[in-house]
Amino acid sequence: MNTKQTLVVIGNGMVGQHFLTKLVESAAKDHFHIVTFCEEPRAAYDRVHLSEYFTGKSAEDLSLVSADFFAEHGIEIHLGDKAATIDRQQKQVTSAKGVVIRYDKLVLATGSYPFVPPVPGHERAQCLVYRTIEDLEAIKAAAENSKIGTVVGGGLLGLEAAKALTDLGLETHVVEFAPRLMAVQLDDGGGAMLRHKIQALGVKVHLNKNTSLIDDGEQCLHKMNFADGEVLETDLILFSAGIRPRDDIARACGLEIGPRGGIVIDNQCKTSDPHIYAIGECALWNGQIFGLVAPGYTMARTVAADLSGTEASFTGADMSTKLKLMGVDVASIGDAHARTQGAMVYTYQNGSREIYKRLVVSQDKKQLLGAVLVGEASGYSTLLQYCLNGIELPENPDALILPQRSDESVGLGPDALPASAQICSCHDVSKGQICGAIEAGCTTIGQLKSATKAASGCGGCAPLLKSVLDCELIKLGVEVSTDICEHFPHTRQDLYNLIMVEQIKTFDDLLDKHGRGLGCEVCKQAVGSILASYWNDYILEKPHIGLQDTNDTYLANMQKDGTYSVVPRVTGGEITPDGLIALGQVAKKYGLYTKITGGQRVDLFGARVEQLPLIWNELIEAGFESGHAYGKSLRTVKSCVGSTWCRFGIDDSVGLAIELENRYKGLRAPHKIKFAVSGCTRECAEAQGKDIGVIATENGWNLYVCGNGGMKPRHADLFATNLDKATLIKYIDRVLIFYVRTAARLQRTSVWMENMEGGLDYLKAVILEDRLGLADELEQQMQHVIDTYQCEWKTTLQDEQKLKRFRHFVNSDQADDNVVFVEERGQVRPANVEERKHFKLIEEAA
Amino acid sequence: MSKWIDVCHIDDLQPDSGVCALVEGRQIAIFYLPRLNAVYAIGNFDPFSEANVLSRGMVGDLGGQLMLASPMYKQHFNLQTGICFEDAAISVPAYPARIDNDRVAIRMSE
Ligand code: SRM
Ligand SMILES: Cc1cc2nc3c(=O)[nH]c(=O)nc-3n(C[C@H](O)[C@H](O)[C@H](O)COP(=O)(O)OP(=O)(O)OC[C@H]3O[C@@H](n4cnc5c(N)ncnc54)[C@H](O)[C@@H]3O)c2cc1C
Ligand code: SF4
Ligand code: FES
C-alpha cells in the first residue's frame, strides 16, 4: 500500500471533480492515493446551471457528486479548507487550516474568480458577484430590500445575471464598458440587435459606460457615477465584468504565469514544473483561457490519461456557444469577428423580424470560419458542422442565412504588390492581411488599424496603408472619398484654395463656413499647415494653438518618454568651433544626450518641457536659431565640402547650401522638405535623394527635383541644367510654392510628382514655361514667406503668456516623475520599463 | 465620496488644447473647448507609450464623440469616458470637470 504515490488535487469545482471521476475510472486509480482540497463548504456542483438556484433548484439538486463518491474511492477530501501554499522543493502542500500533504503529482483546478473593477466604492454593502451558491444567497437576501438592481458587465454571464435580477422582481439595468453587448462573441450588428431585444424585455442597457465611483444614492442605496458625468441610482450592484484565473498559489510558488494571468500549460496540461498540472479556468494554454466547462473537461481527461500512461493531448477547444438569453436566441460560432486572415463576411439583417445573421467564410469562400446569429438560431447545428468538420460550402454561402438565394458575389481584381508584401513592419502585417480586413468590412484607416494593428506602431506605414486601402476599395467598387476627414468634404488642395480665395485666417472661420463638428487632428494639422504656409503667422497665436501637433506646440520633437529633442539650425552643416563648444556646453549643463544627425547637425535629446525655454535662450545667445526639426517645413540643406577645399570641387556647394537654407527656412509645407547641394558630379551630398537637389557643373548648377530617401527612395528628376544662381532660385521658389499649394496632406514631393497628371513634363511646363501664368504669383508668395520669417524660439521667449505652457504642471512646479534616465556609453538615455521599476522600488524604500 | 477640487484659473488653460495638472498626486490632462464652453479631464498617462503626455495631444470629435489624439502614437480616447476608440478594452481615467466663476475644478473620488 505504501508504494502508492500521492496525488493532490487543489480545487473541487466542475473541472476538478470531472478529473477525479475520470481518474478513478482509469488505470491510474491503483497507483495513487488521492487528496483534494475544496475551499467551498460543499463538494462540486453544477455552476453552469447555477441560475436555476433562483428558479427552485436546491444545492443538492445542483451537486455533481454522489454522497459516497469520496469514501467509495478512498479519496481524502478537505472540505472548506483552502490550499494555502505549495512548496515545490519539499513537494508539499499546506492548507489554510494547517494540513500538510506531501505530493508526487499535483493538479491545480482552482478555477477563476469574478473580476471586480477597482472602482472606488466597489466594496460597499450589496455590491456582489455571481459565481458560487453563497453569492446567490447573498443576492437573494439583498434583493429583498431592493427595487433596482444593476449588473456591471454586458457579457454572457452579465446577461444571465440580469435575467436572474428580473426574475427576482427588480427593475434591472445592465452597464457595459464596451460599445456593445457580448463583445467577445458578437459583432457590432449582432450586439445591437441583442440590445434592442433585451431592452424590449424591460432591461435598461447602458453602453460605453465607465463607472468611476459608487457612493451614496438619494433614492437608492447606491449612486453609480460614470466617467461621462452621468449617474445611475441602484440598490444592488452585481459585478460581472469578466473572470480572472485563480493563479495566486501557482504564482507564489514560482510556476510560469501568463502576462495577463493564468497558469501556463503545455499540450499535456503540464505547468512549468513537470510534477504539476493545471486544468480548467485557471490554466492558460497557448495564450488562451477557456471560460467554458467543455474545454476544462477535455483538459481533465488529458491529465487522467497522462497519469495512466496513455497518450493524450489538449490542443485547444471550440468556443462556439448557443444560448437563450432572456428568451432571445443567441449563437456565436468559431471566428465570429472575422479575424482569420482573408476572411470574408456576409450579413443578413431583418429589421421587422429582428433577426441578425452573419457568416464569416474563408477567402476562397469554401470554408465556414464563423457565424453570429441573433433572434433566430435554428441554423446553429448545421453551421457548426460546416465549421468544425470543414465541409465545403455551397457555391453561394449566403444561401445559408438568406431566406432566398441571391446571386451576388464579391469579385477581386489582381494586385500590384504581392499579397505577401509586408506593409507594416512593426506588427508584421502583410498586404494580404490588410486586404482581408478590407474585405471583412474595414473602409477606413481607423478600422484597419484596429483590425490588423497595421500603422498602430510607429505609424510610418500609414501612407502606404492608405494607398492599399484606396486601391482595394476601388477594386471592390466602393467610391473612395478624397475628403480630408469627416469634418470637411474637401481635399487639402480644396481647403488651400478656399483659404486663399476667401482670405480665411483661422480654423474656426473655415470650420464655420465649410466644415462640421469640431475637427480632428487630421484636418486641424492640415489647416494649421496651410494657414502657416499662406499667411506665415506665428504658429502659436491663440487661434492656431490647437492646430499644432505636439512637436509644433513645443517647437521641439517629442521622444518616447515625453521629453523633447532640440535641434538648432546649422545651415549647410557648417559650424564654427565656438558653435560646437556652445552646443556642448548647453548639452552638458542640461544633461542632454547629443548625437550628430543624418542631416548634418547636432540633436540634443532628453529636454523636459520646462527646460526648453532655458535651453533655447542659451542657444540663441550663442548665435543659434530654431532648426525646425519639428515642423512639416524646410529641414536641412546638406552640403558637401565643395570647391573651397575639395580638390575636385567645381563650385562652392557650402556657400550655396547656406544661402538656400537661409532663404527657405521656416517655410511650412504639406510635408518636410530637404535639400542638398553637391560641388561636383561625385555627389557627396546625395542631392539626388532630396526634394530639391543641386549639383555644380562646369557651366552652372543642375537642378534636380522630387527625390526622396526614407521609406520609399526615389531618385530626383533632372529638371533644368546649367543655371545661374538667380535663375536657380527663381525656379526653386516656384516649385516649392506650387507644391505647397497643390500637394495632398503629408505628401512628399516625390509622391506629389508621381501622382501629378502629366508628371515631370507638366511640372516643367508650369515652372519653366509658365504655362499657367502663375510664375509671378508663386515667386511673390515665396517672397512673403521669406520677408515674414521669424525664429519661433525667439518669438516664444519674448511672450510671457506663451511661456506659461512650458511647465509640466499648470498648478505645480514639480517635474514629471515618470521621466527617468540611465547612463549608457557616457551619456543619458531613457530608462526602460524594467529599469524604471527598479528605481521606483529604491525610491519607495528610501 | 467625491469632491470638487479647484485646480487653476481659466486663463491657465489653452484654447482647443490641453494642460496638465497635479491633483492629489495624480497627473490630470485638462482640455478646454471654447466652442462648447467646456472643460474635460482625463488621466495624463498614455497607456500605449507609458509616458505622461496626453495633455499634449490634439482634441476634436470623431463620429460625434469628443476625442483626444495621443501625441505619441495617435490613438484616440473619448474625452468623456476615457475609452480608447481603437481598443475599447483600454481606457484612461476620466474625471468630471467644470468651469465655475473662471476657476477650473475637477471632481475626484476620495
Ligand atoms: C534626427 C534624425 C536621425 C539622426 O539622428 O540622424 C531623424 C530623426 C527623425 N526622423 Fe528622419 N531623421 C533624420 C534624418 C533623416 C534622413 C536623412 C537626411 O535628411 O538626409 C532621412 C531620409 C531622407 C529623406 O527624408 O528623404 C529621414 C527620413 C525620415 C522619414 C521618412 C520620410 C519619407 O519620405 O519616407 C521619416 C518619417 C516621416 O517623416 O513621415 C522621418 C522621421 C523622423 C522623426 C521626426 C520621427 C519622429 O516623428 O519622431 C525623427 C525625430 C527627430 C528628433 O526627435 O529629433 N525621417 N530622416 C535625422 C535628423 C536630420 C536633421 O538634422 O534634421
Ligand atoms: C452563472 C454561471 C453560468 C455559467 N454558464 C456556463 C455555460 O452555460 N456554459 C459553460 O460552458 N460554462 C458556463 N459557466 C462557466 C463554468 O461554470 C466554468 O467554466 C467551470 O465551472 C470551470 O470549472 P473549474 O473547475 O475550472 O472552476 P470552478 O468550477 O470555479 O472550480 C474551482 C474550485 O476551486 C476552488 N479553489 C480555488 N482555489 C482553491 C484553493 N487554493 N484551495 C482549494 N480550493 C480552491 C474554488 O473555490 C472552486 O470551488 C458558467 C459559470 C457561471 C458562474
Ligand atoms: S561632391 Fe565633389 S566637391 Fe563635393 S566632396 Fe565630393 S568630390 Fe568633393
Ligand atoms: S511600420 Fe507600421 S506602424 Fe511601424
Side-chain angles (χ1 to χ4, degrees):
Chain A
M1 267 297 143
N2 35 0
T3 55
K4 269 196 183 178
Q5 296 199 342
T6 302
L7 171 73
V8 174
V9 183
I10 300 181
N12 185 238
M14 293 188 77
V15 174
Q17 180 57 31
H18 192 74
F19 168 68
L20 293 178
T21 326
K22 290 295 145 192
L23 192 76
V24 297
E25 288 169 5
S26 78
K29 172 186 183 333
D30 298 326
H31 304 301
F32 292 105
H33 170 58
I34 305 169
V35 182
T36 184
F37 287 97
C38 177
E39 179 191 35
E40 294 189 55
R42 58 179 68 75
Y45 53 91
D46 188 354
R47 221 180 283 290
V48 170
H49 293 101
L50 191 62
S51 297
E52 293 175 18
Y53 188 73
F54 283 138
T55 52
K57 287 227 168 131
S58 65
E60 289 75 59
D61 294 338
L62 290 175
S63 174
L64 291 172
V65 202
S66 60
D68 51 5
F69 174 82
F70 297 105
E72 188 189 329
H73 298 287
I75 297 172
E76 182 181 326
I77 178 161
H78 296 268
L79 267 189
D81 195 5
K82 178 181 168 183
T85 53
I86 301 168
D87 181 340
R88 288 165 52 205
Q89 227 84 56
Q90 304 292 327
K91 287 176 95 181
Q92 66 187 25
V93 176
T94 307
S95 81
K97 290 187 179 161
V99 179
V100 181
I101 309 277
R102 235 199 60 83
Y103 65 83
D104 297 287
K105 299 282 174 193
L106 179 63
V107 176
L108 302 173
T110 50
S112 61
Y113 65 90
F115 171 65
V116 176
V119 181
H122 67 81
E123 65 294 317
R124 292 162 56 94
Q126 307 215 4
C127 287
L128 306 166
V129 296
Y130 199 81
R131 175 102 196 154
T132 65
I133 289 186
E134 284 66 34
D135 292 337
L136 267 61
E137 279 166 357
I139 293 167
K140 216 176 194 167
E144 252 143 46
N145 51 33
S146 301
K147 278 209 192 69
I148 302 178
T150 301
V151 177
V152 177
L156 217 144
L157 269 182
L159 294 177
E160 192 169 322
K163 162 92 163 58
L165 293 187
T166 37
D167 287 350
L168 288 168
L170 303 188
E171 173 189 327
T172 306
H173 295 255
V174 172
V175 171
E176 167 61 41
F177 183 74
R180 64 170 181 271
L181 292 174
M182 286 182 67
V184 180
Q185 294 86 0
L186 299 185
D187 66 327
D188 283 335
M193 185 64 83
L194 179 63
R195 175 192 189 182
H196 186 73
K197 301 199 92 164
I198 282 183
Q199 279 184 322
L201 296 170
V203 174
K204 304 203 169 53
V205 178
H206 312 263
L207 301 177
N208 280 315
K209 281 277 177 288
N210 186 358
T211 313
S212 53
L213 170 76
I214 304 166
D215 54 9
D216 289 339
E218 270 129 14
Q219 274 82 47
C220 300
L221 182 59
H222 310 293
K223 179 156 86 194
M224 302 177 70
N225 299 270
F226 303 117
D228 59 10
E230 288 186 23
V231 296
L232 174 65
E233 295 236 344
T234 181
D235 298 302
L236 185 165
I237 298 175
L238 258 189
F239 288 104
S240 182
I243 54 168
R244 294 288 183 273
R246 290 189 63 176
D247 52 19
D248 44 340
I249 48 172
R251 198 185 285 269
C253 72
L255 292 180
E256 189 185 347
I257 304 291
R260 301 173 81 177
I263 308 163
V264 175
I265 58 167
D266 63 12
N267 288 2
Q268 272 63 52
C269 302
K270 277 200 176 111
T271 66
S272 54
D273 180 332
H275 303 292
I276 307 182
Y277 298 84
I279 55 178
E281 282 183 347
C282 62
L284 183 75
W285 180 84
N286 197 21
Q288 243 186 307
I289 294 281
F290 297 88
L292 294 176
V293 71
Y297 281 180
T298 311
M299 293 179 196
R301 286 194 295 274
T302 305
V303 176
D306 200 54
L307 289 173
S308 13
T310 320
E311 234 171 76
S313 51
F314 177 80
T315 51
D318 178 52
M319 297 290 278
S320 302
T321 27
K322 174 181 173 229
L323 59 163
K324 233 188 176 57
L325 276 171
M326 322 190 83
V328 182
D329 279 321
V330 181
S332 166
I333 295 174
D335 180 15
H337 292 281
R339 296 206 170 105
T340 311
Q341 173 173 344
M344 302 223 298
V345 169
Y346 297 89
T347 317
Y348 169 74
Q349 192 155 0
N350 183 328
S352 69
R353 291 187 51 216
E354 303 191 328
I355 293 171
Y356 175 88
K357 297 180 178 189
R358 164 179 158 112
L359 278 193
V360 180
V361 306
S362 60
Q363 197 157 21
D364 60 6
K365 293 191 267 170
K366 294 222 161 86
Q367 306 290 323
L368 182 67
L369 301 173
V372 174
L373 308 171
V374 176
E376 185 196 284
S378 57
Y380 178 76
S381 326
T382 317
L383 293 175
L384 191 62
Q385 288 309 312
Y386 270 112
C387 189
L388 293 182
N389 300 323
I391 301 168
E392 191 168 319
L393 285 167
E395 202 193 336
N396 296 287
D398 45 356
L400 293 170
I401 48 167
L402 285 180
Q404 281 164 342
R405 222 200 71 187
S406 144
D407 286 331
E408 276 173 27
S409 66
V410 192
L412 262 183
D415 301 334
L417 283 167
S420 57
Q422 189 188 53
I423 303 296
C424 173
S425 50
C426 288
H427 292 290
D428 188 18
V429 185
S430 68
K431 182 184 169 200
Q433 283 165 290
I434 288 162
C435 296
I438 295 169
E439 282 154 26
C442 293
T443 54
T444 65
I445 291 290
Q447 289 166 349
L448 274 182
K449 270 192 190 174
S450 339
T452 66
K453 297 200 107 186
S456 65
C458 71
C461 59
L464 186 54
L465 185 68
K466 172 95 176 93
S467 67
V468 172
L469 174 66
D470 288 352
C471 154
E472 288 304 304
L473 287 178
I474 288 168
K475 274 191 224 155
L476 289 170
V478 180
E479 198 186 321
V480 177
S481 166
T482 53
D483 297 352
I484 192 157
C485 68
E486 67 184 60
H487 303 99
F488 291 96
H490 300 291
T491 60
R492 178 191 178 274
Q493 194 179 340
D494 292 339
L495 292 177
Y496 191 100
N497 290 332
L498 287 170
I499 286 169
M500 199 166 69
V501 171
E502 299 179 15
Q503 296 285 295
I504 291 174
K505 294 199 97 163
T506 66
F507 178 81
D508 275 354
D509 197 14
L510 185 71
L511 190 67
D512 288 337
K513 291 197 172 109
H514 300 286
R516 56 179 168 256
L518 296 172
C520 62
E521 82 279 12
V522 173
C523 59
K524 283 184 173 181
Q525 273 184 67
V527 172
S529 159
I530 296 171
L531 292 171
S533 309
Y534 191 69
W535 298 106
N536 208 22
D537 287 342
Y538 171 51
I539 58 166
L540 298 183
E541 282 310 345
K542 240 193 182 139
H544 309 321
I545 290 177
L547 309 182
Q548 315 303 332
D549 193 22
T550 192
N551 285 3
D552 282 302
T553 310
Y554 289 93
L555 308 168
N557 294 54
M558 177 176 272
Q559 304 300 313
K560 61 198 286 181
D561 59 350
T563 63
Y564 289 87
S565 75
V566 177
V567 190
R569 188 168 297 289
V570 175
T571 41
E574 183 182 88
I575 188 163
T576 61
D578 280 336
L580 274 173
I581 289 167
L583 289 182
Q585 279 169 338
V586 171
K588 221 170 170 171
K589 178 162 173 191
Y590 294 93
L592 307 173
Y593 166 87
T594 56
K595 180 184 179 298
I596 305 294
T597 72
Q600 296 186 337
R601 45 194 186 171
V602 182
D603 204 343
L604 314 171
F605 294 82
R608 298 161 172 277
V609 263
E610 62 270 19
Q611 293 177 322
L612 289 172
L614 306 173
I615 293 169
W616 297 338
N617 203 21
E618 300 206 16
L619 290 173
I620 287 168
E621 267 177 16
F624 289 98
E625 60 182 348
S626 165
H628 288 93
Y630 46 83
K632 299 285 178 258
S633 57
L634 179 81
R635 291 289 170 85
T636 61
V637 182
K638 274 167 87 166
S639 71
C640 74
V641 61
S643 58
T644 321
W645 291 86
C646 177
R647 61 202 159 119
F648 299 115
I650 288 173
D651 211 331
D652 176 15
S653 47
V654 178
L656 181 66
I658 292 171
E659 193 173 335
L660 292 177
E661 187 161 340
N662 279 325
R663 182 174 179 84
Y664 301 113
K665 66 188 176 190
L667 170 69
R668 284 198 146 68
H671 208 313
K672 58 193 173 193
I673 305 169
K674 298 175 177 183
F675 283 37
V677 184
S678 280
C680 85
T681 185
R682 289 175 188 75
E683 246 282 72
C684 299
E686 300 170 312
Q688 291 166 97
K690 299 284 179 271
D691 300 277
I692 300 288
V694 183
I695 300 173
T697 74
E698 294 288 352
N699 304 310
W701 302 101
N702 280 357
L703 171 62
Y704 293 79
V705 298
C706 304
N708 204 164
M711 280 171 286
K712 204 162 160 271
R714 179 183 192 274
H715 251 260
D717 292 303
L718 180 58
F719 196 67
T721 53
N722 304 326
L723 305 173
D724 60 67
K725 200 166 80 186
T727 312
L728 172 78
I729 286 176
K730 199 164 74 182
Y731 289 165
I732 298 176
D733 281 1
R734 294 177 189 175
V735 171
L736 290 181
I737 295 292
F738 194 55
Y739 164 64
V740 164
R741 283 192 179 188
T742 59
R745 185 181 83 90
L746 296 185
Q747 196 172 45
R748 289 285 292 266
T749 55
S750 59
V751 185
W752 171 65
M753 159 75 91
E754 269 166 9
N755 289 348
M756 194 182 303
E757 231 167 283
L760 184 64
D761 289 338
Y762 176 73
L763 190 63
K764 278 185 176 167
V766 173
I767 304 301
L768 306 179
E769 297 154 22
D770 195 12
R771 164 93 57 89
L772 301 179
L774 279 177
D776 286 344
E777 201 183 315
L778 297 175
E779 286 170 40
Q780 276 166 24
Q781 195 180 330
M782 182 61 86
Q783 197 55 49
H784 170 74
V785 173
I786 295 163
D787 293 343
T788 50
Y789 168 80
Q790 54 191 309
C791 167
E792 289 162 344
W793 290 350
K794 209 179 210 160
T795 311
T796 307
L797 286 173
Q798 286 157 358
D799 186 338
E800 273 306 315
Q801 197 57 29
K802 294 283 172 278
L803 285 173
K804 267 172 111 175
R805 186 130 205 204
F806 292 87
R807 45 187 179 171
H808 190 74
F809 295 114
V810 72
N811 59 346
S812 158
D813 289 335
Q814 285 185 41
D816 181 5
D817 60 6
N818 193 37
V819 171
V820 182
F821 296 137
V822 294
E823 225 183 87
E824 186 173 86
R825 295 189 295 273
Q827 300 202 66
V828 297
R829 67 157 168 81
N832 61 36
V833 180
E834 282 309 312
E835 289 161 343
R836 266 196 252 177
K837 269 188 213 147
H838 182 69
F839 286 116
K840 201 145 191 193
L841 287 178
I842 295 178
E843 245 172 56
E844 275 162 16
Chain B
M1 288 306 293
S2 66
K3 57 178 182 214
W4 286 99
I5 300 172
D6 178 76
V7 173
C8 62
H9 192 269
I10 189 162
D11 284 347
D12 293 329
L13 300 179
Q14 299 286 337
D16 287 309
S17 185
V19 297
C20 176
L22 185 62
V23 186
E24 311 217 311
R26 279 186 254 185
Q27 293 204 13
I28 296 187
I30 304 175
F31 301 93
Y32 175 36
L33 274 61
R35 264 180 180 253
L36 306 179
N37 191 30
V39 283
Y40 299 91
I42 62 176
N44 192 37
F45 185 75
D46 176 12
F48 293 95
S49 62
E50 305 200 336
N52 287 314
V53 293
L54 290 188
S55 62
R56 303 180 217 155
M58 295 176 77
V59 288
D61 62 355
L62 277 185
Q65 299 182 54
L66 294 180
M67 67 79 186
L68 172 270
S70 165
M72 199 70 86
Y73 300 124
K74 310 296 179 212
Q75 288 87 357
H76 299 89
F77 297 90
N78 185 310
L79 267 187
Q80 289 166 297
T81 65
I83 296 172
C84 174
F85 282 65
E86 284 78 17
D87 182 352
I90 293 180
S91 70
V92 296
Y95 306 89
R98 70 173 181 209
I99 305 173
D100 191 10
N101 260 330
D102 285 351
R103 298 292 303 174
V104 179
I106 306 289
R107 202 173 75 192
M108 294 252 278
S109 46
E110 258 166 31

